[in-house]
Amino acid sequence: MSLRGALLVAQAGGPSCVINSSLYGVIAEAGGRPEITALLGARHGIEGVLKGDFIDLAAQDPEDILGLKRTPAAALGGCRRQLNSADPDDGDIRRLLAILARYDVRYFIYNGGNDSMDTALKVHQAAAAAGYKLRVMGVPKTVDNDLVGTDYCPGYGSAGKYLATIVREAALHNESMFTSEPVTILVTVGRNAGWLPAACSLARRADNEAPHIICFPEVPFRKADFLAKVNNWRQRIGGAFIVSGEGLVDERGDYVMVKTGGVATDGFGHPELGAVGDYLKALIEENLGLKTRVIVPDISQQAAMHCAAAADVAYAELAGRQAVKGALEGLNGLMSTITVNGREIGSGYVPLATVANAERPLPPAFIDSAGDFVSGEFFEYIRPFIQGTVELPRDDNGLPLFVRLRGRQA
Amino acid sequence: MSLRGALLVAQAGGPSCVINSSLYGVIAEAGGRPEITALLGARHGIEGVLKGDFIDLAAQDPEDILGLKRTPAAALGGCRRQLNSADPDDGDIRRLLAILARYDVRYFIYNGGNDSMDTALKVHQAAAAAGYKLRVMGVPKTVDNDLVGTDYCPGYGSAGKYLATIVREAALHNESMFTSEPVTILVTVGRNAGWLPAACSLARRADNEAPHIICFPEVPFRKADFLAKVNNWRQRIGGAFIVSGEGLVDERGDYVMVKTGGVATDGFGHPELGAVGDYLKALIEENLGLKTRVIVPDISQQAAMHCAAAADVAYAELAGRQAVKGALEGLNGLMSTITVNGREIGSGYVPLATVANAERPLPPAFIDSAGDFVSGEFFEYIRPFIQGTVELPRDDNGLPLFVRLRGRQA
């Protein structure tokens, strides 16, 4: 089973505040293993892989490597680029195989979401087709928590904890302004999945507390129902705090708002979702005459290290370690997973082919019968992943300090 | 000088995360003073004053009163309503004087921004014109930091610290995505004043770190210059993190984007500012073809108790206490202030008439010569106000716990 060569790790897709903890797990697990002759990090995912743009992870300051566990974003750089083919005759694949051979890469660890697992799968297939000995393992990452085959995606707990924190705070603000600005909308990321809007429910501790209405991408958006609910909360308590996913769809399954023109698709070819907050605001102001504020945390929810959950950091590290462990044991073409079995949280593996390009929506059991809040089951699910705080070193002004990796070329 | 009667306190305008610390200061200073026969809080500022919608602040749980110092938003409720006249024959003023007399209110403490100080001034003028013995004192509040006559506005330090924290985090995210989403824009509140955009500069610790470009409302916005700067950063380091105030104006002094239609003015009659982030994003994407993300923290920056500066909380309390102290000593028609004299920070008073409706822009000396970053002098200025952290009690999920005042009617 023993395979000797370099380990190449890359981060892909949009980062989270714990993707560097997975990188730490990879480095920590690979360090000192005699089979691993070099420890390389590709810059900007597959883009750096194709260019041989690597940094030597074994040459970093050990303090910086430890610091990865408290540094948000992708220390190696993320990317939105995918491989279009696994055909050994494809130009990218030829480049890929040449680079892997040049650096004698035998372990390929790719940390990302469902698009990125498709890329990892293509690397795996291409190496197999070319007869190049390579063990390819994926590591799950996405604040959206929508990967198939894993019960949890590192990054979700911290993003959810941050969002719930600012919802609890902003909702008090909203409530204190009910007589003049009675409605607030907070829009999360997550595309078609409602996991992040669901996490905002943690802010509510008593009936009548925010969030009052959660708009899930999984529940068809009906204008009249929505307006009736907003009006109902206005009558009952004086206003409403609304949380919405970005990928709301109508009863026909069409996005309620898709942006056109400009740079309107991302590198993966997905349409850029329109400003659903502006859409809901206009709907409320025009139909109910209620002044509405809109909060769009955007990438600040993916980068919110100052609200990170210690549990999330730990599971991110575990997912990274398990990928390397599996590869060293001879596994190939799999993604490490975080598993939930009752109160037991563990790890396992799932084929990359199962994860690639698929999405796991919020299960119906996690949504309440009215379709605008979570169920008790959801709270049971999320609780373990948001536990614990992460102490951050601070500068003279009390702002958190982060690390950067050194060196551009290995 | 001794005047016996009830003290009525109200909070007005949009809240901050420390306006309740000023309320705490008012309550703590007034408590046990024999001249003060009752301690009343009006709900939603002048709206509650005109309706006699009061709660008994002396009857609250002492733990809740202490909890005000770690609770964001306005515990009594804020408002956007002003008085239109100080004429004793005006309907509102007649109601006001009747209510004050009914509750034997002799001390009137109004905590808010420049619009609210105009209301406090009208209360003062109306009482004087009617020969009703009343001591009116203002307490400064605004995250915008733009009140005239005080060197500092409680709320600014905490909002600035929160923004600088998320800028430092999101900028790492942005940097790690330079190859696919090279530009991020964060939009602060603050209308015509650039104090909050300026505070984001605290995120930068080294050359080339974010924020790369700050758009101040005080510096006329020139499209071509702006695009050249963005492009320059793209060439130099691969992308740019931009912070913008909301009230950008062109060389003619017109807002670059004003929203029309819908509920487009606030209760003070100010035009609702358009989404300057969307404006800048479209400009960059259409002219430079660089994909751009937009972060709009909106009221979450005003409510960010979890990032509050202990110094800001302390100065908010001081401002509240000084207003009550001054009133008890016979002062009238003034607002308490926070003063900066070299390294010495103290407090004083300024006439309400000086503060009412006026704005204090970021001084030219705090903006660098290129007009897109702060000067060293600015850092000297802001440092004392962002010091220290505030420990918050937490629930089982690690989310901060806040208090609510009890009782609707005194």
Side-chain angles (χ1 to χ4, degrees):
Chain A
M1 296 291 255
S2 177
L3 177 66
R4 230 179 115 77
L7 183 147
L8 177 62
V9 57
Q11 300 172 310
S16 74
C17 80
V18 304
I19 186 169
N20 288 331
S21 296
S22 290
L23 179 60
Y24 172 84
V26 168
I27 296 168
E29 197 64 38
R33 302 296 292 247
E35 305 95 314
I36 296 176
T37 54
L39 194 47
L40 306 176
R43 291 184 55 85
H44 296 293
I46 194 68
E47 293 174 17
V49 174
L50 293 175
K51 290 189 288 191
D53 185 3
F54 302 155
I55 68 171
D56 184 355
L57 293 171
Q60 303 294 316
D61 184 329
E63 283 299 307
D64 288 342
I65 296 297
L66 262 175
L68 290 173
K69 289 173 75 169
R70 48 169 176 75
T71 297
L76 293 171
C79 73
R80 295 275 180 209
R81 172 142 181 214
Q82 287 184 285
L83 291 175
N84 295 321
S85 161
D87 183 344
D89 289 334
D90 176 81
D92 277 348
I93 297 300
R94 277 210 309 271
R95 250 189 303 281
L96 167 78
L97 292 167
I99 292 278
L100 295 178
R102 186 187 313 156
Y103 288 88
D104 192 30
V105 173
R106 300 296 166 180
Y107 297 93
F108 183 90
I109 310 290
Y110 211 59
N111 191 178
N114 51 9
D115 296 300
S116 304
M117 291 309 130
D118 181 73
T119 292
L121 178 62
K122 288 203 169 77
V123 171
H124 171 59
Q125 292 166 335
Y132 180 85
K133 275 205 171 132
L134 182 72
R135 294 187 189 153
V136 176
M137 296 292 281
V139 180
K141 173 279 331 174
T142 174
V143 297
D144 303 350
N145 204 37
D146 65 347
L147 297 188
V148 171
T150 182
D151 293 328
Y152 178 73
C153 302
Y156 174 56
S158 298
K161 193 168 185 175
Y162 171 68
L163 288 172
T165 299
I166 67 172
V167 166
R168 187 173 287 172
E169 291 176 336
L172 268 188
H173 181 114
N174 181 49
E175 185 182 321
S176 67
M177 296 302 284
F178 271 177
T179 61
S180 52
E181 300 167 359
V183 182
T184 297
I185 300 165
L186 179 140
V187 182
T188 77
V189 295
R191 298 196 65 87
N192 307 315
W195 293 94
L196 280 174
C200 296
S201 64
L202 290 163
R204 189 197 279 185
R205 281 173 60 81
D207 287 350
N208 290 349
E209 281 189 7
H212 303 112
I213 301 169
I214 301 180
C215 298
F216 299 105
E218 290 84 355
V219 179
F221 181 79
R222 294 177 179 88
K223 282 186 201 177
D225 283 8
F226 172 76
L227 289 169
K229 281 175 184 176
V230 175
N231 196 40
N232 191 262
W233 279 105
R234 167 72 170 170
Q235 301 306 320
R236 272 171 65 190
I237 63 166
F241 195 102
I242 300 159
V243 170
S244 178
E246 56 183 346
L248 295 192
V249 295
D250 61 23
E251 290 165 274
R252 291 190 310 275
D254 296 329
Y255 287 124
V256 300
M257 198 167 170
V258 176
K259 198 161 273 185
T260 51
V263 185
T265 47
D266 69 13
F268 290 147
H270 304 306
E272 181 173 335
L273 298 174
V276 78
D278 293 343
Y279 170 82
L280 297 176
K281 172 185 164 80
L283 209 58
I284 293 167
E285 294 193 341
E286 283 160 23
N287 289 280
L288 303 176
L290 301 176
K291 192 162 160 58
T292 300
R293 314 268 326 197
V294 181
I295 303 172
V296 186
D298 199 71
I299 60 170
S300 72
Q301 73 204 274
Q302 286 143 286
M305 194 73 221
H306 77 282
C307 275
D312 189 33
V313 169
Y315 292 121
E317 178 180 342
L318 177 64
R321 285 183 178 272
Q322 289 301 104
V324 174
K325 265 190 196 161
L328 287 167
E329 287 164 8
L331 299 182
N332 196 356
L334 306 176
M335 182 186 81
S336 63
T337 62
I338 301 297
T339 57
V340 179
N341 197 339
R343 285 169 182 273
E344 199 78 2
I345 295 173
S347 70
Y349 300 100
V350 62
L352 288 171
T354 304
V355 190
N357 300 318
E359 286 175 348
R360 179 179 69 135
L362 197 63
F366 285 0
I367 300 175
D368 76 358
S369 56
D372 64 3
F373 202 70
V374 297
S375 67
E377 269 184 74
F378 172 77
F379 288 116
E380 293 306 307
Y381 165 79
I382 198 174
R383 210 159 273 144
F385 301 113
I386 56 169
Q387 298 306 309
T389 52
V390 179
E391 281 305 311
L392 302 177
R394 303 263 167 182
D395 66 17
D396 292 350
N397 296 320
L399 303 184
L401 284 169
F402 304 125
V403 300
R404 275 190 167 77
L405 297 181
R406 289 146 205 227
R408 292 294 305 249
Q409 300 288 334
Chain B
M1 297 289 258
S2 179
L3 179 66
R4 230 178 114 80
L7 182 147
L8 178 62
V9 57
Q11 300 171 310
S16 73
C17 79
V18 305
I19 186 170
N20 286 332
S21 296
S22 290
L23 178 59
Y24 171 84
V26 167
I27 296 168
E29 197 64 39
R33 301 296 293 247
E35 305 94 314
I36 297 177
T37 55
L39 193 48
L40 306 175
R43 291 183 54 85
H44 296 293
I46 194 68
E47 294 174 16
V49 173
L50 293 174
K51 289 189 289 191
D53 185 4
F54 300 155
I55 69 172
D56 184 354
L57 292 171
Q60 304 293 315
D61 184 329
E63 284 299 308
D64 288 343
I65 296 296
L66 262 176
L68 290 173
K69 288 173 73 170
R70 50 170 174 74
T71 297
L76 293 171
C79 72
R80 295 279 181 208
R81 174 144 180 212
Q82 286 184 285
L83 291 176
N84 296 320
S85 160
D87 183 343
D89 289 334
D90 175 80
D92 278 347
I93 298 299
R94 278 209 308 271
R95 250 190 305 281
L96 167 79
L97 292 168
I99 291 278
L100 295 177
R102 185 186 318 154
Y103 288 87
D104 193 29
V105 173
R106 299 296 167 181
Y107 297 92
F108 184 89
I109 311 289
Y110 210 59
N111 191 179
N114 51 9
D115 295 302
S116 305
M117 291 310 131
D118 181 75
T119 292
L121 177 63
K122 289 201 167 77
V123 171
H124 171 60
Q125 291 166 336
Y132 180 85
K133 273 205 173 136
L134 181 70
R135 295 187 189 156
V136 177
M137 296 292 278
V139 180
K141 173 278 330 171
T142 176
V143 297
D144 303 350
N145 204 38
D146 64 348
L147 297 187
V148 170
T150 180
D151 293 327
Y152 178 74
C153 301
Y156 174 56
S158 298
K161 194 169 185 174
Y162 171 67
L163 289 173
T165 298
I166 67 172
V167 166
R168 188 174 286 174
E169 291 177 334
L172 268 188
H173 181 114
N174 181 48
E175 185 181 319
S176 68
M177 297 302 283
F178 270 177
T179 61
S180 50
E181 300 167 0
V183 181
T184 297
I185 300 164
L186 180 140
V187 182
T188 77
V189 296
R191 296 195 67 85
N192 306 317
W195 293 94
L196 281 174
C200 296
S201 64
L202 291 163
R204 189 196 279 185
R205 280 174 60 79
D207 286 349
N208 290 350
E209 282 189 8
H212 303 111
I213 302 169
I214 301 179
C215 299
F216 298 105
E218 289 84 354
V219 178
F221 181 78
R222 295 177 178 90
K223 282 186 201 178
D225 282 6
F226 173 75
L227 289 169
K229 281 176 183 174
V230 174
N231 197 43
N232 190 261
W233 280 104
R234 167 73 169 168
Q235 301 306 321
R236 271 172 64 189
I237 62 165
F241 195 102
I242 300 160
V243 170
S244 178
E246 57 183 345
L248 295 192
V249 294
D250 61 23
E251 290 165 272
R252 292 190 308 273
D254 295 330
Y255 287 123
V256 299
M257 200 168 169
V258 177
K259 199 162 271 182
T260 51
V263 185
T265 47
D266 70 13
F268 289 147
H270 304 305
E272 182 174 334
L273 297 175
V276 78
D278 293 342
Y279 170 80
L280 297 176
K281 172 184 162 80
L283 209 56
I284 293 166
E285 295 194 338
E286 283 161 24
N287 290 279
L288 302 176
L290 300 176
K291 192 162 162 56
T292 300
R293 316 262 335 193
V294 180
I295 304 172
V296 186
D298 199 72
I299 60 169
S300 72
Q301 73 204 275
Q302 284 143 288
M305 195 72 220
H306 77 282
C307 276
D312 189 32
V313 168
Y315 292 121
E317 178 181 342
L318 176 65
R321 285 183 180 271
Q322 290 301 102
V324 175
K325 263 190 197 162
L328 287 167
E329 286 165 9
L331 298 182
N332 197 356
L334 306 177
M335 180 185 81
S336 63
T337 61
I338 302 297
T339 55
V340 178
N341 197 338
R343 287 168 180 273
E344 201 77 3
I345 296 174
S347 69
Y349 301 100
V350 63
L352 289 171
T354 304
V355 190
N357 301 318
E359 287 174 349
R360 180 180 66 137
L362 196 62
F366 285 0
I367 300 174
D368 76 359
S369 56
D372 63 3
F373 202 70
V374 298
S375 67
E377 267 184 76
F378 172 76
F379 288 115
E380 294 305 308
Y381 166 78
I382 199 174
R383 210 158 273 144
F385 301 113
I386 56 168
Q387 297 305 311
T389 54
V390 179
E391 281 306 309
L392 303 176
R394 304 264 166 179
D395 67 17
D396 292 350
N397 295 320
L399 302 184
L401 284 168
F402 305 125
V403 301
R404 274 189 167 75
L405 296 180
R406 290 148 204 225
R408 292 295 306 248
Q409 299 290 335

